[in-house]
Amino acid sequence: MNTDFHFWDYFIFVAYAVLILGVGLWVSRDKKGHEKNAEDYFLASKSLPWWAIGASLIAANISAEQFIGMSGSGFALGLAIASYEWMAALTLIIVGKYFLPIFIEKGLYTIPEFVEKRFSTNLKTILAVFWIALYVFVNLASVLYLGSLALETIMGVPMIYGVIGLALFAAAYSLYGGLSAVAWTDVIQVVFLVLGGLVTTYLALNTVSGGEGVIEGIKTVYEAAPDRFAMILDKSNPEFKNLPGIGVLVGGLWVANLYYWGFNQYIIQRTLAAKSLKESQKGILLAAFLKLVIPVIVVVPGIAAYVMVNDPEIMARLGEAGMKNLPSLDQADKAYPWLLQFLPTGMKGIAFAALAAAIVSSLASMLNSTSTIFTMDIYKQYINKNASDKATVNMGRISAFVALVIACIMAPLLGGIDQAFQFIQEYTGIVSPGILAVFMLGLFWKKTTNKAAIIGALASIPIAVAFKATTMPWMDQMGLTAVLTMVVIVIASLIQHKGKDDEKGIDITKELFKTSPLFNIGAFAVMLILVALYAMFWN
């Protein structure tokens, strides 16, 4: 069994890199007689078609965390981890129908800008600073770390070179071209991402079935590990604390999903760059359908790897190569890199390009969104209120570069301080329910006041910390924190305004949420598929 990279693997990977850089720089070029303005750089001239939006949403979302982490979770606990992806499909439909019409009507560049229009500049600035810190120290740094860890595991590239290489690759086109370069290259990245993922899934299932094909492979995997196909875990399962049974469907996962897909700058930015609201909603619909497919390429390989590792016959067929980098329940994240080494020459290059595409597209999206928030919500607000378009675009590039340098310094440190990294991740989970509560009530309850929103956001942190002291699953903690924070905001608003509407409250009408027949049919289809999937794999 051949485990090394050969000429054709390197050739395909280099061709992919050249294609991405070429397309990124080509779409970034300035048209004759037109200098890039803020709308061109941060919102791709509001010209993105639906298919570019849908592809870009998925490319921004899928990273090494999904390929490496979700395959590892598939290995360790099975299909239940797919709830993150399948619930996201339903969340996207909700965002497309109920959030986007308000955001697009208000002509937003950034999510903090909505906070200013609905509440106050002070609250906007607090959230803008929080998001910039979160993107630089958690999102950018962790994607660089996980991505370079994958390069180190698969190709033996030292960590520091991997971090610098990935950073330079993402910066090469995104810093110059802005969102336009990011979104259009994402269309290509998604093709590689899905194709490479499917190649790995095919190989894993074909190997399990002894060369009998994918269908036989699925049957073999299901017969060998039926417990790995339960979507709803019971309390006896050791992973119940992370995926608390029915609580996944009705609890805290909604907090994580609505916060991520509805109020996360680097996700929502491409929907704000659409030609129109209808185009944006069609893009959201495409992303929802793609989300239904993602577990096939990131979870199923992990389950197949679990069956392979525990089958002496298959391990004997794999020979010495099978013992290299072997995954275990304690080191489940090795599952995906372990599978990649068995791909034939050429296919290995495609699969590796898919992993790189997932990493680089996420990096580019996060960079662009960090610079958008800093430039539009900090620089133009406090440093240079009358900045020209040229100065604004240049500041966007400079701030993205600075964010990348800080993330590059932070990334290698994450490997040595796992507990600190876990602490940062938990800190994000502590803050997100409060932010979600502020946004949900700010959008849909006209009586919500600025003072109550600030009180709620601040109160949510001690509420979340109090729940951390309990043995309750963290998803349930998030759900209850969000509900209690909403209660605090409602009470504070009623005390302040005695039941009157806030002057900045949003007028909600049926017309605002009217969607096209295509969107309605597509949304219904997504829901039907989800019902069928959960019915099939309930337990």
Side-chain angles (χ1 to χ4, degrees), residues 373-389:
I373 292 178
F374 177 82
T375 307
M376 304 307 288
D377 296 320
I378 307 291
Y379 175 72
K380 283 201 83 170
Q381 181 83 47
Y382 298 104
I383 300 167
N384 188 355
K385 285 187 177 179
N386 302 313
S388 65
D389 275 326

Side-chain angles (χ1 to χ4, degrees), residues 36-47 109 179-180 273 376 389 392-393:
K36 231 183 223 79
N37 60 35
E39 190 175 275
D40 296 332
Y41 190 79
F42 297 113
L43 289 182
S45 313
K46 288 203 172 181
S47 63
Y109 275 80
L179 185 62
S180 188
M376 304 307 288
D389 275 326
T392 305
V393 171

Side-chain angles (χ1 to χ4, degrees), residues 350-416:
I350 292 173
F352 192 60
L355 189 58
I359 297 160
V360 172
S361 59
S362 294
L363 277 177
S365 297
M366 290 168 191
L367 271 180
N368 185 254
S369 295
T370 306
S371 73
T372 304
I373 292 178
F374 177 82
T375 307
M376 304 307 288
D377 296 320
I378 307 291
Y379 175 72
K380 283 201 83 170
Q381 181 83 47
Y382 298 104
I383 300 167
N384 188 355
K385 285 187 177 179
N386 302 313
S388 65
D389 275 326
K390 188 175 182 181
T392 305
V393 171
N394 284 340
M395 181 47 64
R397 289 171 178 152
I398 292 164
S399 56
F401 177 74
V402 171
L404 193 59
V405 170
I406 296 168
C408 283
I409 294 165
M410 288 297 300
L413 303 177
L414 297 182

Side-chain angles (χ1 to χ4, degrees), residues 44 46-59 92 100 104 183-184 186-187 190 267 270-290 516 518-519 522:
K46 288 203 172 181
S47 63
L48 293 184
W50 63 272
W51 45 273
I53 292 165
S56 192
L57 280 168
I58 296 302
L92 277 161
L100 268 192
I104 287 178
W184 287 107
D186 277 352
V187 175
V190 159
I267 290 297
R270 53 258 308 124
T271 64
L272 303 177
K275 290 176 179 177
S276 65
L277 174 59
K278 277 190 176 174
E279 202 75 2
S280 191
Q281 287 171 329
K282 281 196 282 185
I284 284 258
L285 198 58
L286 171 62
F289 277 108
L290 287 172
S516 67
L518 175 69
F519 183 87

